[in-house]
């Protein structure tokens, strides 16, 4: 189909955008048969462009038409045409619209007069007579509105309509014919654009610097002003502009340089520093990037378990001991969240600080099916489990550990450690922590979110045990969060999970035993003549170890070992020749069975404190240390020790129970309550006895990181230093 020819005039300019994004300018020489003769502005030879070529470029939005020769435009005209019509103030646009009426009238009368000046005079008279009263009313209305706006800015009374008389407007005058000629010539010569009639009021005034500028290394008043602004105004702690101006005056007086006024000083700041530049100099580039940067939203994944987020959070609630009722501190919460469906795959809550132990329990809870049949008060199930494809997390030590790297290799998923201080890259889980803080903890006794801390002591008002906190979070997840419409996915998370899992089935873990073997902590140890030594404990199975050790290179080889951080009773050794794991039980189950990594380190330090320097620690010493630690924990809960010490003692009691029971399997042995307390020294209240019963119904869990809406969590402490301090406190209590 033939293209309809487009109408252009000789002297017009066409801008063609090429495939690389560049722009080529062509001037129209004249009309040719079936097209136009165009001359490129780069000096090349002219050529004829067919109507089809021009129409195709026009339809593809690669053509821009300028009804004038843009190469020969004066600078002031080019500057005006570069700006859009909306850039100019309302008053300036109103004057340009009135000038358009004059030049349009000239265009209509110019052929009726033999002398053009007569046409200009006739147009001036006709337009002024027809629109004089109308334009005067517009000027008065504009003046009243401008005065009202100025009064509001000065915090004065806003004028009423009756106050219009005192407002003075400049008299409306009939333009001179020579003025109309200047408007008409400019308007008709450069494309009849209304912007050509804009008054050049923005060019009025003296635009030269008042004081001479030095372009060499010598100082002038403007260089001194910039130094004073950046050193005394745009630094922390923040100071006022008049303080920086006083320093500027002192420097000018010292250097014998003229000084500008305070008003010019403030204008210099506004014209030379954007708000972002000022914020960046005061708070740093990163803070300015976060405040003024524009971030693109990522496209959510299409498949469930394609991308998950993992993070830790110190919850905004004080937990108490189930028997004594004394405050223990704030537990840690670890959560694994699916990005596509926004369901929570797994969680862990306990007093265990962020470590691989808490991460391992959260992963195990996310990988396997949950069993909620024995938990009362729940209305819905939690059918979310499986192995993810990508795990997005921060740069915590446990999230960069060799153990997690081996786990991702064995279970075929990838861990991506996000850059430091970029919480928005895992904003879904950060927002989730904020929701938990507000919807679960904000109305409970013992919350730290109270805004009246002078009248509300969260430690003294704490009432919930760790098991009760665990149950409240669990009920919120399965009965509220999963069943409420999520604003991002526009449906219920559990409904989205069921829809997507029908299309994309989840990848299961090979078997239940793999939960510990594939997620446990990884170490490499050789096989000695008696077995495998780890943390002062001996693990042995002669039948298995003899076969492994007898192989070529078996004496010097370091074998891959998996350890459950909550149970040192046995370890798993990997036979890489046949691809099998073998269980090696500890030869001393009394000091290892159901003993966590944290507990074992405490036992070793207690034994070391009770022995002379250089004396080796024996099994008997560890048994005595274990007994002493258990008795000390009981004593600490009975006596009113500090909350920080009680939190460490509660961490010692953690047994690694998952957030909820797992279907047809148990990671750890059944939890055991502490030994009964002396009724004379401690009398548990009714809520404490209720908590004791709930401790069996809902197991506890562990966690870590800072929610988006809560205060920053305390920095992670060194593991060994924390144990050292706790042992010293315990030893002082026992003396």
């Amino acid at each position: 189909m033939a293209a309809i020819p487009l109408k252009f005039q000789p002297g017009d300019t066409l801008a063609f955008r090429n495939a690389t994004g560049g722009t080529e300018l062509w001037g129209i020489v004249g009309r040719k048969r079936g097209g136009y003769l165009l001359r490129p502005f780069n000096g090349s030879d002219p050529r004829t462009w067919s109507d089809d070529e021009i129409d195709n470029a026009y339809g593809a939005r690669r053509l821009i038409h300028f009804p004038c020769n843009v190469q020969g435009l004066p600078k002031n005209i080019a500057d005006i045409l570069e700006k859009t019509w909306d850039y100019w103030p309302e008053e300036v646009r109103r004057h340009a619209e009135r000038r358009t009426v004059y030049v349009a009238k000239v265009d209509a009368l110019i052929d009726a007069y033999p002398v053009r000046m007569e046409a200009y005079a006739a147009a001036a008279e006709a337009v002024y007579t027809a629109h004089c009263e109308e334009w005067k009313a517009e000027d008065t209305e504009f003046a009243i509105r401008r005065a009202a706006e100025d009064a509001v800015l000065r915090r004065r009374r806003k004028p009423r309509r009756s106050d219009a008389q005192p407002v003075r407007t400049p008299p409306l005058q009939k333009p001179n014919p020579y003025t109309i000629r200047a408007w008409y010539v400019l308007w008709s010569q450069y494309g009849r654009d209304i912007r050509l009639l804009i008054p050049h009021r923005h060019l009025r005034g003296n635009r030269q610097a008042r004081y001479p500028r030095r372009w060499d290394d010598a100082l002038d008043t403007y260089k001194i002003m910039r130094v004073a602004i950046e050193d005394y105004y745009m630094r922390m702690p923040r100071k006022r502009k008049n303080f920086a101006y006083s320093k500027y005056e002192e420097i000018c007086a010292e250097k014998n340089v003229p000084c500008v006024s305070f008003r010019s000083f403030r204008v210099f700041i506004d014209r030379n520093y954007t708000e972002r530049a000022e914020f960046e100099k005061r708070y740093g580039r990163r803070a300015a990037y976060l405040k003024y940067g524009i971030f693109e939203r990522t496209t959510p994944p299409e498949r469930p378990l394609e991308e998950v987020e993992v993070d830790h959070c110190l919850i905004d609630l004080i937990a108490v001991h189930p028997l004594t009722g004394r405050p223990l501190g704030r537990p840690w919460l670890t959560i694994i969240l699916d990005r596509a469906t926004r369901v929570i795959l797994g969680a862990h809550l306990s007093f265990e600080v962020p470590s691989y132990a808490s991460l391992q329990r959260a992963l195990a809870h996310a990988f396997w099916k949950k069993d909620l049949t024995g938990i009362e008060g729940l209305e819905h199930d939690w059918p979310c489990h499986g192995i993810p494809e990508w795990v997005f997390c921060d740069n915590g030590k446990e999230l960069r550990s060799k153990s997690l790297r081996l786990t991702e290799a064995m279970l075929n998923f990838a861990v991506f450690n996000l850059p430091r201080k970029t919480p928005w890259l895992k904003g879904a889980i950060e927002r989730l922590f904020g929701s938990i803080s507000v919807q679960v903890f904000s109305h409970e006794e013992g919350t730290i979110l109270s805004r009246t801390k002078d009248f509300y002591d969260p430690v003294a008002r704490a009432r919930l045990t760790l098991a009760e906190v665990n149950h409240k979070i669990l009920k919120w997840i399965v009965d509220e969060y999963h069943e409420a419409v999520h604003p991002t996915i526009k449906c219920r998370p559990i409904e989205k999970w069921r829809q997507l899992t029908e299309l994309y089935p989840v990848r299961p873990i090979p078997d239940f035993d793999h939960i510990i073997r594939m997620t446990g902590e990884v170490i490499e140890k050789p096989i000695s003549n008696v077995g495998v030594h780890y943390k002062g404990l001996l693990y042995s199975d002669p039948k298995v170890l003899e076969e492994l050790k007898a192989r070529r290179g078996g004496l010097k080889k370091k074998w891959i070992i998996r350890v459950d951080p909550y149970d040192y009773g046995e370890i798993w050794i990997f036979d890489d020749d046949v691809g099998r794991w073998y269980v090696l039980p500890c030869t001393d189950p009394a000091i290892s069975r159901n003993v966590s990594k944290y507990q074992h380190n405490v036992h070793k330090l207690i034994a070391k404190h009770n022995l002379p320097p250089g004396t080796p620690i024996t099994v008997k010493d560890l048994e005595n240390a274990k007994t002493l630690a258990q008795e000390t924990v009981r004593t600490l809960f009975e006596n009113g020790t500090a909350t920080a010490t009680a939190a460490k003692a509660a961490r010692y009691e953690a047994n690694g129970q998952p957030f909820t029971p797992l279907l047809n399997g148990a990671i750890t042995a059944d939890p055991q309550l502490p030994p009964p307390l002396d009724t004379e020294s401690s009398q548990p209240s009714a809520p404490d006895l209720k908590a004791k019963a709930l401790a069996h119904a809902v197991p506890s869990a562990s966690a870590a990181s800072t929610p988006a809406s809560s205060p920053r969590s305390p920095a992670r402490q060194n593991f060994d230093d924390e144990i050292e301090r706790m042992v010293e406190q315990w030893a002082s209590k026992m003396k």
Side-chain angles (χ1 to χ4, degrees), residues 41 71 96 198 249 292 307 343 357 361 384 407 434 465 530 565 604 697 709 714:
F41 283 8
Q71 193 176 31
I198 288 178
E249 288 181 317
Y292 296 96
E307 298 177 3
V343 299
R361 283 304 190 258
C384 308
T407 299
T465 65
V530 293
K604 289 174 62 177
S709 64

Side-chain angles (χ1 to χ4, degrees), residues 225 240-246 248-249 259-269:
M225 195 170 358
R240 299 176 65 86
K241 292 180 182 178
N242 53 9
F243 174 79
Y245 180 73
S246 64
Y248 160 71
E249 288 181 317
C259 178
V260 301
S261 65
F262 183 51
R263 182 179 181 279
S264 300
F265 186 81
R266 289 185 283 116
V267 171
F268 184 86
I269 294 177

Side-chain angles (χ1 to χ4, degrees), residues 604-706:
K604 289 174 62 177
L605 282 173
I606 293 177
K608 182 179 178 180
H609 274 265
N610 293 331
L611 292 174
T615 305
I617 301 175
T618 64
V619 175
K620 187 64 176 178
D621 296 330
L622 290 177
E623 291 180 355
N624 295 335
K626 180 181 178 181
T627 303
L628 178 60
Q630 293 174 346
E631 293 177 354
T632 306
V633 168
R634 178 171 176 268
T635 303
L636 290 175
F637 288 145
E638 290 179 357
N639 300 331
T641 56
T643 305
T645 306
K648 297 184 180 73
R651 179 185 177 187
Y652 176 86
E653 278 196 324
N655 56 13
Q657 282 294 104
F659 190 74
T660 65
L662 301 182
L663 186 64
N664 297 326
I667 296 180
T668 60
D670 293 336
Q672 298 179 357
L673 290 176
L677 299 175
D678 185 2
T679 56
E680 296 181 358
S681 60
S682 175
Q683 297 180 356
S685 60
D688 298 330
L689 296 178
K690 179 182 178 182
K692 179 178 179 181
L694 289 175
H696 287 284
V698 183
S700 60
S702 83
S705 190
T706 307

Side-chain angles (χ1 to χ4, degrees), residues 3 27 70 115 169 176 199 256 281 299 349 427 453 503 612:
V70 298
V115 180
T169 59
N176 190 284
N256 195 20
K281 288 183 176 297
T299 303
L349 180 75
K453 294 184 179 180
L503 300 175

Side-chain angles (χ1 to χ4, degrees), residues 388-635:
E389 299 178 23
W390 287 90
V391 177
F392 292 86
C393 54
D394 56 22
N395 283 271
K397 185 177 180 181
E398 72 282 0
L399 299 167
R400 294 180 289 104
S401 62
K402 182 179 179 181
S403 301
L404 185 59
R405 296 304 175 191
L406 184 58
T407 299
E408 66 173 313
M410 297 178 66
L411 296 179
N412 192 23
F413 66 89
V415 176
F416 187 85
N417 297 105
L418 299 171
R420 296 175 60 251
K421 298 182 179 180
T422 55
W424 60 89
L425 296 181
K426 50 180 178 63
I429 197 168
E430 296 287 353
R431 183 66 184 90
L432 176 66
F433 284 142
S435 299
I436 294 176
S437 297
V438 174
Q439 299 180 23
V440 181
F441 304 138
S442 63
H443 56 277
E444 297 291 343
E445 290 284 9
T447 178
I448 66 169
L449 295 177
S450 174
R451 299 180 181 273
T452 57
K453 294 184 179 180
D454 294 339
F455 306 97
Y456 185 90
D457 185 1
V459 176
R461 300 288 292 272
R463 296 293 182 270
L464 298 179
T465 65
L466 184 66
E468 292 173 326
V469 175
N470 192 101
H471 187 272
K472 287 186 176 296
I473 299 176
L474 173 61
K475 182 172 178 58
W476 179 83
I477 291 175
V478 300
D479 290 342
E480 296 184 30
Y481 174 73
H482 281 174
E483 299 297 329
V485 176
H486 196 282
T488 301
I489 60 177
K490 309 301 181 184
C491 66
R492 296 181 297 128
I494 197 65
E495 178 184 354
K496 189 75 170 180
W497 170 265
R498 292 192 176 99
Q499 291 175 356
L500 293 184
T501 50
E502 290 181 0
L503 300 175
Y504 309 99
V506 300
R507 185 162 56 96
I509 201 167
D511 59 81
F512 185 82
D513 293 338
H514 280 65
I515 288 182
I516 296 300
R517 290 204 302 265
M518 291 191 175
T519 61
E521 191 172 1
V522 175
I523 58 173
E524 293 184 356
K525 288 290 182 180
I527 301 175
S528 68
N529 290 334
V530 293
V532 177
H533 292 274
Y534 177 65
K535 295 284 187 178
L537 301 174
L538 178 63
Y539 298 86
S540 179
D541 185 340
K543 183 179 179 180
V544 173
L545 296 183
E546 284 180 4
E547 180 183 352
L548 298 179
K549 189 177 180 181
R551 296 176 183 174
R552 188 172 299 277
L555 290 174
K556 298 181 180 179
K557 181 178 179 179
K558 288 189 175 182
W559 301 82
I560 296 178
I561 307 293
R562 283 283 193 178
V563 181
D564 183 0
Y566 281 102
D567 188 358
Y568 274 16
E570 58 188 14
I571 62 175
W572 291 264
I573 187 169
F574 183 62
D575 184 355
D576 51 2
D577 286 350
V578 298
R580 289 188 57 189
W581 291 89
Y582 296 100
V583 179
L584 300 180
C586 183
T587 58
D588 301 300
I591 59 173
S592 61
R593 177 60 63 185
N594 295 328
V595 174
S596 67
K597 176 181 179 180
Y598 185 80
Q599 292 171 340
H600 182 68
N601 288 338
V602 170
H603 299 162
K604 289 174 62 177
L605 282 173
I606 293 177
K608 182 179 178 180
H609 274 265
N610 293 331
L611 292 174
T615 305
I617 301 175
T618 64
V619 175
K620 187 64 176 178
D621 296 330
L622 290 177
E623 291 180 355
N624 295 335
K626 180 181 178 181
T627 303
L628 178 60
Q630 293 174 346
E631 293 177 354
T632 306
V633 168
R634 178 171 176 268
T635 303

Side-chain angles (χ1 to χ4, degrees), residues 75 128 139 162 169 179 183 218 258 409 524 609 686:
K75 185 178 183 305
Y128 182 80
D139 290 342
S162 59
T169 59
T179 303
W183 296 345
E524 293 184 356
H609 274 265

